[in-house]
Amino acid sequence: MPESSEPTADLPSSVDEVYSFLGPSGTFTEAALRQVPEAAGKNWRSVNNVGEALADVVAGRSVAAMIAIENSIEGGVSVAQDALATVPGLRIIGEYLVPVNFVLVARPGTTLADVKTVNAHPVAYGQCHLWLDAHLPEHGHLPASSNVAAAASLFEGSTADAAIAPPGIVDHHDVVVLATEIGDNPNAVTRFVLVSRDRGVPEPTGADKTSLIAELPDDRPGSLLDLLEQFSTRGVNLSLIESRPIGDALGRYRFVIDADGHIHDERVADALLGLRRFSPAVIFLGSYPRADKQKVEFDPRYRDAVFTEARDWLASLTAPEGAVPATPAAAAAQG
Ligand SMILES: O=C(O)C(=O)C[C@]1(C(=O)O)C=C[C@@H](O)C=C1
């Protein structure tokens, strides 16, 4: 954490000064927040779960919250996806990647043979199955609110014998490290998003992403294909599409979508219009720069000018005779 940033329970006078994150200090979520230049030197509010972080934003206790949204092994963080689908008024304003790997820690004096129960955040636990199955095949799992909280609880009366934690945990707690690199994949990455109530979108950079949640109109063959066509017919690539249960009945799903491009790109805006006409519920979660800064590639047939010329052409078809054509396409249409 930057020297000037302090996790705090006391609210300072200006909400613009407060950023909420899953704590306590030392979590990967805190490492993600450290990548936000605007958060440096501000007050960082350590919270216990994603719901609390987003409630801070909604209630105006903080200007933004950092939440984990996807892990390269575990997939989408369902609690975060569901919260974004149901809490109104939230916007994603930034994306951040953090490489994650884990150690198994315990109270001093503990050996691997003593470990019967492992305390771990569910998403971290899900990334360590191979090691746990091989080395602690009979262990039980005690869920924790975060990886650092899992380690801290060992000294707060937890019934667990060990905890899965980030390697940096040794700087925060007097633990012994029983095993290192226990994650299923040494290249695992967690994707985080910064969420605010700000309705303005960050300016397009050419390397942007647009996040959406949409429901299908009815349960009939081809409905999902219709949804996908809204994007494919405008040359918009999807980097993520995941289904989550709506929760009101078996078999009812909403789709969490990340599309390449920005709402200010004509092809993305047009896809959104198509989606809106087709879907009974569309949530626009924001357009923001991609963490990997990879420029969005698309077929030139879908560049902005093609859409604006088509619109001008349409307008020109019924424009009064002698009206000045707005574009070459409109002029051509007038003959
Ligand atoms: O930020 C942390 O350290 C956490 O404990 C949370 C969290 C998550 O919510 O996904 C973050 C990254 C890891 O992939 C596992 C757990």
Side-chain angles (χ1 to χ4, degrees):
M1 157 174 312
E3 266 169 36
S4 45
S5 301
E6 292 290 331
T8 177
D10 306 320
L11 295 181
S13 47
S14 167
V15 162
D16 292 349
E17 300 289 311
V18 185
Y19 287 78
S20 298
F21 74 104
L22 181 70
S25 187
T27 58
F28 292 119
T29 310
E30 187 192 62
L33 189 52
R34 229 181 281 137
Q35 295 181 29
V36 181
E38 300 77 30
K42 304 287 173 65
N43 291 287
W44 292 8
R45 186 169 142 78
S46 167
V47 299
N48 291 316
N49 56 63
V50 169
E52 192 184 356
L54 296 180
D56 275 358
V57 175
V58 171
R61 285 187 291 272
S62 62
V63 66
M66 184 65 80
I67 61 169
I69 192 83
E70 185 185 5
N71 172 262
S72 56
I73 295 174
E74 266 294 278
V77 178
S78 48
V79 67
Q81 293 176 332
D82 293 348
L84 290 174
T86 49
V87 180
L90 295 174
R91 286 284 170 86
I92 298 174
I93 54 171
E95 180 188 54
Y96 308 88
L97 301 178
V98 178
V100 290
N101 66 81
F102 301 97
V103 293
L104 187 75
V105 296
R107 289 177 283 266
T110 310
T111 67
L112 198 54
D114 301 325
V115 177
K116 304 269 178 291
T117 306
V118 175
N119 198 4
H121 184 280
V123 176
Y125 182 71
Q127 296 174 61
C128 300
H129 276 311
L130 296 178
W131 189 92
L132 289 167
D133 289 351
H135 296 90
L136 294 170
E138 292 171 11
H139 75 277
H141 171 214
L142 193 65
S145 59
S146 78
N147 300 307
V148 174
S153 74
L154 294 174
F155 301 95
E156 294 161 359
S158 169
T159 53
D161 311 299
I164 292 176
I169 196 68
V170 291
D171 301 333
H172 295 265
H173 292 285
D174 187 17
V175 286
V176 286
V177 177
L178 300 180
T180 58
E181 301 277 348
I182 65 169
D184 290 354
N185 186 319
N187 301 317
V189 176
T190 296
R191 191 163 68 84
F192 291 83
V193 289
L194 189 65
V195 179
S196 86
R197 276 174 311 158
D198 193 347
R199 290 185 59 80
V201 284
E203 284 299 306
T205 64
D208 305 293
K209 196 179 256 194
T210 294
S211 292
L212 307 160
I213 294 177
E215 291 178 23
L216 299 179
D218 43 29
D219 194 9
R220 63 171 167 78
S223 232
L224 178 58
L225 193 60
D226 289 347
L227 181 146
L228 294 174
E229 269 180 350
Q230 306 304 323
F231 299 96
S232 64
T233 56
R234 279 97 178 174
V236 176
N237 182 53
L238 303 186
S239 59
L240 176 130
I241 177 158
E242 252 193 307
S243 61
R244 287 291 307 149
I246 294 174
D248 55 359
L250 264 181
R252 297 234 315 131
Y253 293 94
R254 58 170 71 98
F255 291 85
V256 179
I257 296 166
D258 281 351
D260 285 358
H262 194 283
I263 190 171
H264 291 160
D265 295 332
E266 292 282 348
R267 66 190 183 285
V268 175
D270 208 56
L272 277 174
L273 289 177
L275 198 59
R276 168 74 188 172
R277 286 197 298 272
F278 154 87
S279 160
V282 183
I283 301 170
F284 170 69
L285 287 174
S287 289
Y288 49 90
R290 295 166 63 108
D292 61 11
K293 298 194 166 53
Q294 238 177 310
K295 227 175 140 31
V296 173
E297 303 288 345
F298 59 93
D299 190 310
R301 283 181 301 158
Y302 303 105
R303 67 189 186 281
D304 282 359
V306 175
F307 286 87
T308 47
E309 283 195 343
R311 246 195 330 261
D312 292 342
W313 169 78
L314 185 69
S316 75
L317 297 180
T318 52
E321 219 169 309
V324 183
T327 64
Q334 280 186 8

